[in-house]
Amino acid sequence: MAADPRTALELLRSGELEVHGRVTSASNAVLYCTVTLDGLTVPCAYKPVAGERPLWDFPDGTLAGREAASFLVSAATGWGLVPPTVLRDGQAGPGMVQLWIEPDDEAEELIDLQDPAGPEPGWLPIVHADVGGGRTALLVHRDDDRLRRLAVLDAVLNNSDRKGGHWITAPDGRLYGIDHGVTFAAPAKLRTLLWGWAGEPLPDEASEVLGRLAGALDGALGESLRPLITPAELDATRARVAALLRGGRHPEPSPDWPSIPWPPV
């Protein structure tokens, strides 16, 4: 269903939403649901605005809108990295409803702890980690094109929480990023595990996508984002895309903001 976003979006917008339980490990209220329309039922996640925990650096009640905005930007890239997501009413009031992606339990791991002397072939370093007992290990992620696209998207979104648990590999091999509530802040707040390409030239594919995205932000995409983020945040998004195109490289960690989310996984 995630590969058919048009049908998924119609289901999420217009289907009958039924709550089955709560994801208790989440910091904000996340309800596991199904949505049914014309005899078709699919699972989804429902995050009501009423269940959002207040944050010091984001306005109250805005996280659901940021999740929906992240989907729109992802869809505009053509990479389809964020599952279909809408804003709608539910049993607990208005909130974000997103297609549920069931993870592939057999998929290869994309992050690992390795020898602190250096990463194994096919892996990129993130940071040295204290693993207790006076020992350290090197936290690494795979040199994977799917992750690299996600790193570019996060730089556009100014994602402040790309943990190792905030991406899912589906059974068809596609990679999806989830939990985009703390995105689009106007000040630089990029906080991620995907620093393996920091400072490296952007792939040609990414530059082409960013060029198209710049045009879309000045047109229909920008208009669709206006109800979801502030004018200053929209201008900052345009500026981030322009800076990526101008510099032609993956961003590097800021000395003024923690670069790694906590906990990292």
Side-chain angles (χ1 to χ4, degrees):
M1 185 58 65
D4 182 10
R6 180 176 297 182
T7 300
L9 289 169
E10 180 63 22
L11 270 163
L12 295 173
R13 289 192 189 105
S14 305
E16 180 181 355
L17 189 67
E18 181 178 359
V19 177
H20 298 282
R22 180 171 179 172
V23 180
T24 57
S25 60
S27 56
N28 296 302
V30 181
L31 304 178
Y32 178 78
C33 305
T34 53
V35 63
T36 301
L37 182 67
D38 296 333
L40 181 60
T41 299
V42 297
C44 59
Y46 166 39
K47 298 183 182 181
V49 171
E52 293 180 4
R53 178 171 54 88
L55 300 172
W56 68 269
D57 55 345
F58 284 85
D60 293 350
T62 66
L63 305 191
R66 296 172 193 278
E67 296 241 31
S70 296
F71 165 72
L72 293 177
V73 173
S74 168
T77 66
W79 286 334
L81 292 168
V82 178
T85 308
V86 303
L87 287 180
R88 60 166 287 177
D89 282 328
Q91 288 85 333
M96 178 279 280
V97 178
Q98 183 176 84
L99 190 70
W100 185 274
I101 303 297
E102 195 66 29
D104 180 4
D105 293 335
E106 302 300 320
E108 64 181 12
E109 293 293 339
L110 297 176
I111 57 173
D112 194 15
L113 287 171
Q114 296 180 0
D115 191 300
E120 299 172 6
W123 296 83
L124 298 172
I126 306 169
V127 68
H128 284 89
D130 183 352
V131 293
R135 297 176 297 117
T136 62
L138 186 63
L139 183 62
V140 297
H141 65 71
R142 286 193 184 273
D143 188 359
D144 184 293
D145 288 342
R146 300 169 300 170
L147 284 180
R148 192 164 193 173
R149 294 183 186 116
L150 192 60
V152 174
L153 178 64
D154 283 343
V156 171
L157 300 179
N158 198 16
N159 190 355
S160 189
D161 199 27
R162 179 61 71 199
K163 299 175 180 176
H166 288 180
W167 61 66
I168 296 172
T169 303
D172 64 358
R174 292 175 63 97
L175 186 76
Y176 295 95
I178 59 171
D179 288 324
H180 295 98
V182 286
T183 50
F184 292 103
K189 292 191 176 187
L190 183 60
R191 188 165 52 192
T192 176
L193 290 186
L194 300 178
W195 290 117
W197 300 282
E200 290 191 10
L202 290 167
D204 290 343
E205 177 200 32
S207 297
E208 293 169 4
V209 166
L210 289 168
R212 295 197 301 270
L213 192 59
L217 285 166
D218 286 333
L221 175 60
E223 290 304 311
S224 67
L225 292 175
R226 288 188 184 279
L228 303 173
I229 58 177
T230 69
E233 289 167 343
L234 180 55
D235 287 344
T237 303
R238 293 191 182 104
R240 287 192 296 272
V241 172
L244 287 166
L245 284 168
R246 186 170 57 251
R249 294 181 180 273
H250 286 271
E252 299 188 66
S254 168
D256 303 320
W257 180 253
S259 61
I260 304 292
W262 187 261
V265 179

